């Protein structure tokens, strides 16, 4: 017989699948204050999870609490996946590392041990493009555009890889923008802060320009990046020209349309002269926006040194792979 209140809550939620606080109060025969005290502990320990907003809130068991995680694996593979992998469930639960990987394997009916080895091999293949902690995408840009105005185009990671889909940074970026969750944005900033600071130092950056978003959101990722990074750099004034019908680049499938979109909507308003400039964007598909911004800077004689484009994630092949961000 289960006597511990927390254990009774977990058992009840497991039996029902999805329950409200009122249902738990009625079943357990405790006060709402007593229930919420126990729920706070269970939520912190990730024994249960909740979804919805007051007055309609449901509690359920996280997938990690009900799935069989399998037998122990090689520690090197486990450590690699713990560092690199993130699974986001259909309910929006984030499960990092081996726990998330195990859940994904079960969801897709794949052997966990065999698939884990294949994941490491695939990631290492993509790691060949990473040098000094960043990916250099300038060759891709040069093969796409007749004239390139950036000296370098860097990615912190690819947005997605073959078979396994979105990378850890790719997942966080997508859901940070779509959910506008400050918690997810904070997790993303925590991951990108150190590499961005290293790039600033390595390339002797004196000024920074944040590529403005097209879609209006209550919580803007680029604004949060700017606020939280607190980089001691001069800031370039870059704006998006607003029209009655704003067309995000992600909706355009033709490269020429993306180039035209960038040329007509990006406006560099700054009048100063800068040394080395860093242009920071969330995702680089075609690279049209970064290249257009660099073009305006150069044509106006605003830079004495280099212009470095930096995207949190970039596409490996075609730019359409980042159409959902």
């Amino acid at each position: 017989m289960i006597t511990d209140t927390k254990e009774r809550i977990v058992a009840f939620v497991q039996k029902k699948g999805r329950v409200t606080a009122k249902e738990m109060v009625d079943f357990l025969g405790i006060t709402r204050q007593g229930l919420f005290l126990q729920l706070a502990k269970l939520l912190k320990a990730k024994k249960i999870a909740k979804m919805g907003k007051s007055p309609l809130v449901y509690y359920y068991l996280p997938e990690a609490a009900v799935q069989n995680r399998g037998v122990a694996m090689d520690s090197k593979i486990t450590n690699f996946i713990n560092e690199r992998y993130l699974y986001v469930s259909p309910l929006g639960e984030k499960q990092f590392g081996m726990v998330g990987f195990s859940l994904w394997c079960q969801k897709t009916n794949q052997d966990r041990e065999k698939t884990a080895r294949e994941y490491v091999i695939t990631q290492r293949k993509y790691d060949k493009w990473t040098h000094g902690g960043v990916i250099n995408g300038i060759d891709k840009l040069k093969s796409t555009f007749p004239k390139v105005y950036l000296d370098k185009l860097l990615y912190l990671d690819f947005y997605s890889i073959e078979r396994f889909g979105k990378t850890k940074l790719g997942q966080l970026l997508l859901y940070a923008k779509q959910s506008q969750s400050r918690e997810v944005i904070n997790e993303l900033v925590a991951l990108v802060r150190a590499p961005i600071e290293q790039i600033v130092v390595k390339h002797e950056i004196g000024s920074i320009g944040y590529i403005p978003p097209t879609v209006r959101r209550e919580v803007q990722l680029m604004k949060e990046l700017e606020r939280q990074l607190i980089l001691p750099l001069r800031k370039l004034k870059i704006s998006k020209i607003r029209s009655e019908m704003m067309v995000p680049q992600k909706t355009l499938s033709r490269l020429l349309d993306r180039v035209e979109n960038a040329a007509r909507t990006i406006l560099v308003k700054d009048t100063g002269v800068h040394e080395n400039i860093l242009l920071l964007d969330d995702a680089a598909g075609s690279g049209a926006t970064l290249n257009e911004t660099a073009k305006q800077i150069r044509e106006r004689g605003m830079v004495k040194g280099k212009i470095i484009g930096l995207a949190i994630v970039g596409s490996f092949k075609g730019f359409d792979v980042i159409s959902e961000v």
Side-chain angles (χ1 to χ4, degrees), residues 159-299:
Y159 177 65
S160 65
I161 61 174
E162 63 186 270
R163 180 183 174 187
F164 297 98
K166 289 183 283 294
T167 61
K168 183 177 180 179
L169 269 183
Q171 290 272 34
L172 285 175
L173 176 64
L174 174 63
Y175 289 103
K177 295 188 70 173
Q178 289 191 346
S179 69
Q180 301 178 62
S181 165
R182 293 190 185 277
E183 177 187 346
V184 181
I185 291 174
N186 292 343
E187 289 176 317
L188 178 67
V189 175
L191 281 177
V192 304
R193 183 191 306 279
I196 291 176
E197 291 175 346
Q198 290 168 8
I199 289 168
V200 168
V201 173
K202 179 178 179 180
H203 295 281
E204 300 180 338
I205 300 298
S207 303
I208 186 168
Y210 296 88
I211 302 299
T214 300
V215 179
R216 293 184 183 274
R217 291 185 170 98
E218 184 178 344
V219 181
Q220 291 288 8
L221 173 62
M222 295 307 290
K223 285 292 184 183
E224 283 297 307
L225 273 173
E226 180 182 346
R227 185 180 68 83
Q228 294 191 38
L229 288 176
I230 319 177
L231 296 171
L233 306 172
R234 291 176 62 190
K235 180 187 171 185
L236 274 74
K237 298 176 183 177
I238 305 173
S239 300
K240 277 271 186 173
I241 301 173
R242 300 282 172 183
S243 62
E244 183 178 351
M245 183 71 72
M246 292 297 292
V247 180
Q249 283 227 358
K250 64 182 180 181
T251 64
L252 302 174
S253 57
R254 294 177 66 245
L255 176 61
L256 289 177
D257 290 339
R258 290 200 169 195
V259 172
E260 181 182 1
N261 177 279
R264 292 182 179 272
T265 60
I266 284 289
L267 177 63
V268 178
K269 299 166 62 177
D270 206 277
T271 57
V273 178
H274 304 260
E275 297 293 338
N276 296 328
I277 295 173
L278 179 69
L279 297 178
L280 180 60
D281 203 354
D282 52 14
S286 65
T289 300
L290 284 167
N291 198 47
E292 171 61 28
T293 307
K295 177 184 177 182
Q296 292 188 27
I297 291 171
R298 289 202 184 279
E299 288 182 344

Side-chain angles (χ1 to χ4, degrees), residues 9-10 17 55 60 70 75 88 105 158 242 244 293:
I9 292 173
V10 172
Y60 61 96
S75 60
V88 180
C105 288
F158 291 117
R242 300 282 172 183
E244 183 178 351
T293 307

